[in-house]
């Protein structure tokens, strides 16, 4: 294979699915040198479950810390990783048995510094056989563009194999939501090549009670993040500026619907200004996906129409 790797699992009150996540990490056909469980101040039995696995398996390490949030937990895991590569796994998700091995094969190609696998939202009892060939390899700029246009590659931390040494230069920004979006393009810019495979390697479990499915003003963090991405690309990678603006339009549109549906007028007003400013660009850019073009077109009907749409279209 390509060396050693760690699986970092941040844990916060994840007792319901934690065992499934850890078992999927332990059962990898390419065994992890370290499975690092970061108990981020859990108040349920998660900490105890973590300790049980550490007592039973020598490769499992547990770090108990005061609650600091997902970014803090991931960064804590990175500090503890003493391997060549790193994977992230959320405590309510689980890996296909060959996930790590498949990603490792992808990184065996020359100059590949990031391997990205697909995901499924179906809880599969039997995973389909994984084809260890057929991935596509692209440059970092192309991977970032695809991610910003939201046409394939996901910006999530999970489902990827990352070089540990790069994580000394790029960390997760603490205290924000959408930290994956903030992290991905910065990590990707360190890469020479990116290998991508659409086959599902991870089961991503959507929980309706997670903060990403509940309205809180902190959801507006994505507005600041996409503002920063746009400014960064304008200064450093102008060819990526249209993609950055589309991602910004998408973020502002989604948060506008959520804020409107939940009566947050101040955030809705902020979003509406950007929607009006960027909608023509969304319609004229041939790379913008249909969903964003439809939203841009709908916005011309005015805020009353979007208020109706917010009741069923906000996600």
């Amino acid at each position: 294979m390509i060396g050693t790797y760690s699986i970092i699992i941040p844990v916060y009150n994840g007792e319901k699915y934690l065992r499934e996540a850890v078992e999927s990490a332990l059962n990898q056909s390419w065994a992890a040198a370290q499975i690092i469980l970061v108990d981020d101040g859990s108040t349920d039995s998660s900490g105890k479950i973590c300790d049980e696995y550490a007592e039973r398996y020598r490769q499992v390490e547990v770090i108990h810390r005061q609650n600091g949030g997902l970014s803090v937990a991931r960064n804590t895991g990175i500090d503890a990783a003493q391997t060549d590569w790193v994977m992230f796994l959320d405590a309510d998700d689980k890996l296909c048995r060959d996930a790590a091995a498949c990603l490792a094969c992808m990184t065996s190609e020359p100059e590949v510094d990031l391997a990205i696998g697909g995901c499924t939202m179906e809880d599969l009892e039997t995973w389909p056989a994984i084809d260890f060939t057929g991935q596509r390899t692209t440059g970092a700029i192309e991977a970032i563009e695809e991610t910003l246009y939201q046409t394939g590659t996901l910006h999530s931390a999970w489902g990827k194999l990352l070089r540990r040494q790069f994580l000394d230069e790029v960390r997760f920004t603490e205290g924000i939501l959408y930290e994956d979006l903030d992290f991905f393009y910065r990590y990707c810019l360190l890469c020479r090549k990116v290998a991508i495979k659409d086959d599902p390697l991870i089961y991503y479990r959507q929980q309706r009670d997670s903060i990403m499915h509940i309205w809180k003003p902190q959801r507006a963090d994505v507005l600041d993040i996409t503002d920063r991405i746009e400014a960064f690309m304008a200064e450093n990678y102008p060819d990526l500026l249209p993609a950055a603006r589309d991602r910004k339009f998408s973020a502002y549109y989604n948060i506008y619907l959520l804020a409107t549906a939940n009566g947050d007028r101040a955030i809705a007003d902020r979003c509406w200004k950007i929607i009006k400013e960027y909608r023509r660009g969304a319609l004229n850019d041939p790379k913008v996906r249909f969903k964003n073009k439809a939203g841009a077109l709908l916005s011309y009907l005015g805020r009353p129409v979007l208020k109706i749409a917010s009741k069923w279209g906000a996600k």
Side-chain angles (χ1 to χ4, degrees):
M1 286 295 181
I2 57 169
T4 58
Y5 79 105
S6 303
I7 300 177
I8 298 171
I9 307 178
V11 182
Y12 178 70
N13 291 351
E15 62 183 4
K16 186 174 182 180
Y17 301 111
L18 178 57
R19 293 184 188 278
E20 289 185 49
V22 177
E23 292 290 342
S24 76
L26 286 166
N27 290 330
Q28 288 299 293
S29 56
W30 177 36
Q34 294 176 283
I35 298 174
I36 303 168
L37 307 178
V38 183
D39 173 27
D40 189 39
S42 297
T43 58
D44 64 1
S45 65
S46 294
K48 181 179 178 181
I49 294 171
C50 290
D51 290 336
E52 289 176 2
Y53 277 102
E55 291 173 3
R56 291 168 56 194
Y57 299 95
R58 60 174 180 78
Q59 70 268 46
V60 176
E61 304 172 24
V62 178
I63 301 171
H64 297 283
R65 55 158 299 120
Q66 292 184 339
N67 180 252
L70 182 55
S71 290
V72 173
R74 284 180 177 154
N75 290 339
T76 299
I78 292 169
D79 288 336
Q82 301 177 4
T83 52
D84 304 300
W85 297 84
V86 165
M87 291 180 66
F88 295 100
L89 176 65
D90 288 351
D92 54 355
D93 298 340
K94 56 186 178 182
L95 295 167
C96 163
R97 174 172 168 76
D98 290 324
C102 182
L103 292 170
C105 285
M106 293 161 64
T107 56
S108 67
E109 290 191 23
E111 299 187 334
V112 170
D113 297 312
L114 172 63
I116 302 174
C119 74
T120 179
M121 296 184 187
E122 297 180 38
D123 192 357
L124 302 175
E125 292 186 9
T126 303
W127 289 78
I130 300 299
D131 179 4
F132 279 61
T133 63
Q135 67 270 12
R136 55 190 174 92
T137 304
T138 187
I141 299 301
E142 291 77 13
I144 293 170
E145 182 181 64
E146 183 177 319
T147 301
L148 292 175
Y149 276 122
Q150 301 175 88
T151 55
T153 305
L154 297 174
H155 63 255
S156 59
W158 43 259
K160 297 173 175 60
L161 193 62
L162 307 96
R163 283 196 185 274
R164 169 63 183 83
Q165 69 185 77
F166 289 3
L167 298 175
D168 287 329
E169 299 183 49
V170 178
R171 292 296 178 99
F172 292 92
T173 303
E174 299 177 2
I176 64 170
L177 297 182
Y178 302 93
E179 72 290 328
D180 293 359
L181 177 60
D182 177 72
F183 169 87
F184 178 80
Y185 76 96
R186 294 185 291 114
Y187 177 92
C188 209
L189 286 171
L190 299 176
C191 300
R192 293 164 296 176
K193 292 183 180 179
V194 179
I196 303 168
K197 192 174 186 63
D198 296 328
D199 290 10
L201 302 180
I202 186 170
Y203 165 49
Y204 169 63
R205 180 180 276 113
Q206 288 190 309
Q207 297 201 61
R208 302 308 302 179
D209 59 348
S210 75
I211 192 169
M212 300 308 293
H213 290 93
I214 298 173
W215 172 251
K216 290 186 177 181
Q218 194 181 3
R219 293 284 299 271
D221 285 352
V222 72
L223 308 182
D224 297 330
I225 291 170
T226 54
D227 285 351
R228 288 198 296 271
I229 293 174
E230 179 189 37
F232 179 85
M233 297 309 175
E235 182 176 352
N236 299 283
Y237 297 91
D239 288 347
L240 287 174
L241 187 54
R245 286 177 172 165
D246 178 55
R247 188 63 184 87
K248 177 173 177 175
F249 174 80
S250 180
Y252 272 78
Y253 199 98
N254 186 52
I255 295 300
Y256 175 83
L257 294 179
L258 286 166
T260 299
N262 290 276
D264 196 322
R265 180 77 185 196
I267 291 178
D269 286 347
R270 174 186 174 183
C271 293
W272 180 244
K273 180 180 178 180
I274 296 299
I275 290 170
K276 290 193 297 180
E277 182 180 347
Y278 283 59
R279 60 191 177 187
R280 183 180 294 274
L283 291 171
N284 291 333
D285 186 344
K287 293 184 178 180
V288 170
R289 59 181 179 160
F290 174 78
K291 179 180 179 180
N292 285 9
K293 287 183 180 292
L297 194 61
L298 186 63
S299 73
Y300 280 99
L301 297 178
R303 296 182 73 163
V305 172
L306 288 190
K307 185 173 183 178
I308 297 173
S310 72
K311 296 179 180 179
W312 55 267
K315 295 181 180 179

